Amino acid sequence: MAKISILPVHLVNKIAAGEVIERPASVVKELVENALDAGAGRIAVAVEDGGARLISVTDDGSGMGAEDLALAFAPHATSKIAGEDDLFRIVTMGFRGEALASIASIAHASIRTARRDEPSGGGWEVEASGEAIGQVRPCAAPPGTTVAIRDLFYSTPARRKFMKSATTEMGHITEQITRLALPRPQVAFTLTHNGRTVLDLPAAPDTAGRAADLFGRELADGLVEIVPRGRRPVRVGGLIGKPSAARPSARWQYTFLNGRYIRDRLLAHAVKEAYRGVVDPSRWPVALVFIEMDPAEVDVNVHPTKVEVRFRDSQAVHGELLAAMRETLNSANLSPDASFTTRPADLGPDPFAAALPATAAAMAAPALPDDARRTSVRQALADFFRAQPPPQPRLGFAPSPAATHPAAFASSATATQPHAPATTAADSAGAYQSEHGPAPAPAAVPAGAMQVHDSYIVVQTDDGLAIIDQHALHERLIYNELRGRLAAGGLTGQRMLIPQTVAVSPAQAAAAASHAELLRRLGVELEPFGPATLAIQQFPSMLAQRGCEPTEFVQETLERLLEDPQADSEVLLERLLQTLACKAAIKAGDPLTPQELAALLARRDSLADKGSSCPHGRPTTLKLTLKDLQKQFKRV
Ligand SMILES: Nc1ncnc2c1ncn2[C@@H]1O[C@H](COP(=O)(O)OP(=O)(O)OP(=O)(O)O)[C@@H](O)[C@H]1O
Ligand SMILES: [Mg+2]
């Protein structure tokens, strides 16, 4: 008996859908691409329940006649290519003739359409679901097309299970629309979720206008136009960020090829390379890059969702992109002094700022020189955790939460320690044994302790010696302290008199909404404030006191939350605390004053296990007993 049989069409479609339709955002992408291919000037996307119940896309494009409509859901039916040669000069977003057939195989789909160039011809509608494609029937319809997809994945329960919360799916959907809308400022887009407007992008004169609507004014104002390099086989245009406007993640780097969003490691490398030496390697410049070239020079038929392409001469594309960006960055107006700052006063008319006197503004955001404002969030956080007053100039810790009410924390960071002992070696040795209460702050290093290579601390122990990794230990101490404060009710937040605004991506906005409670525990409160903007209502007091820039801190925090959207809030909290502690801790290579060294060791003694591992699980301490030493020196 033969083992091979030809699969039925509906199964083939389902398999194709498996590749192309990963989640609701994939449906949005396919339908919006079809609308763009139909020459639409306005596209309205309506979503219900994160796309599980309904995704509908309405356009004012060419529309379809009855004959075309009858074929729209058929597999391998397309109006976009006719022969093999066409595959190598693709100028449309679609060409496989597969999207609608795939979607209909896993959902209830319907189309209503009327031809734009024949308004009197009347409209047509058709439904398709699973294996069945219905009859085309006349109906009343405005010129253009509406495609409605209901009950996505109803027939593929496994996929349906993979769908995340409506908030998460909406984050993906907004991101897809962002990618489609950026290269086409002249097309108007709207996105609604359960009737509420999520995106409203009117037709804009240029990319800068579109970027401002998508990402907020603040981000758009930090961009400069790529200087054109004349007519060449590969043309590069778009907007790139001033070095001072670099971000904590690559989220604001978009590369487009002939109007199509693509992911490409080589292009990402060119962007990074262009900013080498100009931007700290831990920061990512904003880049909205549009590459135009002969479609024959690139193969877009290598990836099911077309997000990856193959260039005939990828080095040439890389080189051209690098050159265009370098020339732009070298052009006169980009010296650091010309860069913008993130002070609210610089963000154009701000209703709050105008209404309040300057002193009020100063209270909400401590007045700092621009240079200080620009210090990276890492530095600001690190500074915060290093309470100032002598005798512990950089390492000081607040009293332990057991001894202090959390509400008092805001001021406790600078409180002097009541139990500071006399600074004799004997007292320090006594403190060394202590397991309880606020750690003393000796001004002298315990006998037999020293820092070596600005990285390790060697201490004498009862039965030998210990070598401590200073970064790992400090990290562990800060982490414990934060944990303690959280257990005692969370970190205190300081209400901002004038809420600072922060530009966020749609995904970041979604993360802020879905993790509001978690953020509140950290003392952070954010509220939606216009398109692509959040207002920081409350900010951890401790960070505020240290002059940490709230916008950068919020951005960085939201990025952390996005790294793994599936993780539950305890895991995320843990991760945030670890990150904070790691950033705040002294680093290998930081020299310590004797007072700092003493404070660190005294603090170590308050740890039940003497801090034998850092929060990441790496050891903080290596121990050598006298016995080990004797063995090594062959004394026994
Ligand atoms: N919004 C629309 N307006 C006008 N015609 C449309 C619209 N959506 C689909 N069509 C027609 O239906 C055909 C099938 O669409 P479908 O998305 O399945 O395939 P495609 O766009 O040709 O290729 P791909 O599978 O790569 O997207 C299109 O070629 C087009 O002729
Ligand atoms: Mg298509």
Side-chain angles (χ1 to χ4, degrees), residues 88-89 99 118 184 386 498 546 560-561 627:
F88 302 100
R89 44 170 179 262
E118 241 180 74
R184 300 173 183 83
R386 298 169 187 168
I498 302 167
R546 308 300 307 168
R560 288 278 157 283
L561 292 176
K627 229 188 236 140

Side-chain angles (χ1 to χ4, degrees), residues 29-31 33-35 37 78 80 93-100 306:
K29 171 178 184 283
E30 293 300 332
L31 299 186
E33 286 188 352
N34 281 348
D37 283 345
T78 181
K80 298 170 193 177
M93 301 297 283
F95 57 85
R96 297 171 165 236
E98 216 169 47
L100 289 179
K306 307 159 186 133

